[in-house]
């Protein structure tokens, strides 16, 4: 109860003090700018697809909060880097629940389908939204798969996701991440350059 009372007190203070709220939002935006400053232009996540849940997926969480707080006035989904970050799961997708397993990422990571679908909707990327929808319904649960966040549980409960078929696989080129992938005659191949100084990378 004391946690809730503190939260309520903070909400009342913020309601009465627009300056304090503005300071908090400004600080949060500086943090997001710092994150975006180190992401390559192709939006690649060198830690692998599963880590997108807490990288690109968390960016979406922040952008959604900002959009809500400003009544939709602060909307950055048209930005090319934001779009590239959002589309990474689609680019890393092979078939079904399989994704590239570079670095120490598993071949069948527990991806947050609802967040992927929402990113696709916000950025007008229909194949990304379709992939997220398929993953969301394949999971068959609203409970956390990889990221134990109550906010995402609420998103799964209150953001309906329509059932959609998996999108077709397309050739992928991510020059900054040094990944090239595609399917030819039923054979899917993904190759990656890089170095041992990358996040979670190994000499394999």
């Amino acid at each position: 109860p004391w946690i809730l009372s503190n939260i309520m007190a903070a909400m009342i203070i913020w309601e009465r003090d627009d300056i304090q709220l503005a300071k908090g939002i400004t600080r949060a935006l500086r943090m997001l700018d710092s994150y975006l400053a180190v992401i390559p232009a192709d939006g690649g996540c060198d830690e692998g697809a599963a880590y997108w849940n807490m990288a690109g997926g968390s960016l979406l969480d922040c952008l959604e909060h900002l959009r809500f707080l400003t009544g939709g006035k602060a909307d950055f989904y048209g930005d090319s880097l934001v779009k590239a970050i959002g589309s990474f799961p689609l680019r890393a997708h092979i078939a079904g629940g399989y994704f590239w397993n570079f670095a120490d990422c598993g071949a069948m990571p527990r991806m947050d389908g609802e967040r992927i679908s929402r990113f696709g909707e916000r950025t007008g990327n229909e194949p990304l939204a379709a992939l997220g929808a398929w993953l969301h319904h394949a999971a068959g649960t609203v409970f956390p798969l990889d990221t134990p966040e109550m906010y995402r549980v609420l998103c799964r409960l209150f953001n309906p996701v329509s059932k959609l078929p998996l999108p077709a696989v397309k050739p992928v080129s991510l020059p900054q991440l040094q990944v090239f992938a595609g399917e030819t005659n039923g054979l899917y191949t993904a190759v990656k350059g890089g170095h041992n100084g990358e996040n979670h990378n190994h000499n394999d």
Side-chain angles (χ1 to χ4, degrees):
W2 66 269
I3 294 174
L4 291 177
S5 63
N6 283 348
I7 291 172
M8 289 301 295
M11 289 173 69
I12 291 168
I13 290 169
W14 277 19
E15 245 179 29
R16 294 177 180 172
D17 192 345
D18 290 342
I19 294 173
Q20 188 69 20
L21 176 59
K23 285 180 180 177
I25 293 174
T26 301
R27 183 168 182 237
L29 289 174
R30 286 197 189 111
M31 293 178 190
L32 289 180
D33 281 342
S34 296
Y35 169 71
L36 291 171
V38 299
I39 301 297
D42 60 22
C45 181
D46 63 1
E47 296 175 297
Y51 292 92
W52 184 92
N53 283 333
M54 290 305 293
S58 291
L59 173 64
L60 172 68
D61 294 340
C62 295
L63 293 179
E64 287 291 273
H65 292 320
L66 185 61
R67 192 171 185 270
F68 174 78
L69 275 173
T70 61
K73 292 177 182 177
D75 188 325
F76 298 98
Y77 292 113
D79 181 79
S80 59
L81 181 57
V82 170
K83 285 183 175 182
I85 293 169
S87 67
F88 180 73
L90 178 65
R91 293 173 171 177
H93 181 243
I94 299 173
Y98 286 92
F99 292 77
W100 310 328
N101 62 333
F102 297 127
D104 61 356
C105 181
M108 295 189 75
R110 295 176 294 179
M111 302 298 289
D112 196 330
E114 186 278 330
R115 293 286 80 187
I116 293 171
S117 177
R118 179 68 54 187
F119 222 137
E121 289 175 13
R122 292 287 188 235
T123 58
N125 188 334
E126 293 181 8
L128 179 64
L131 172 63
W134 188 90
L135 291 167
H136 173 76
H137 289 284
T141 179
V142 297
F143 293 106
L145 300 175
D146 181 56
T147 50
E149 298 177 26
M150 188 61 187
Y151 169 68
R152 293 194 184 183
V153 173
L154 294 174
C155 286
R156 293 189 194 100
L157 283 170
F158 297 106
N159 291 335
V161 178
S162 301
K163 283 190 176 183
L164 295 169
L166 277 171
V169 175
K170 293 185 177 180
V172 175
S173 172
L174 298 173
Q176 281 83 35
L177 190 61
Q178 298 186 45
V179 171
F180 301 90
E183 182 179 0
T184 304
N185 298 325
L187 176 66
Y188 187 96
T189 306
V191 294
K192 184 183 185 308
H195 52 82
N196 263 11
E198 294 180 330
N199 296 309
H200 292 270
N201 206 3
H202 312 288
N203 207 7
D204 51 6

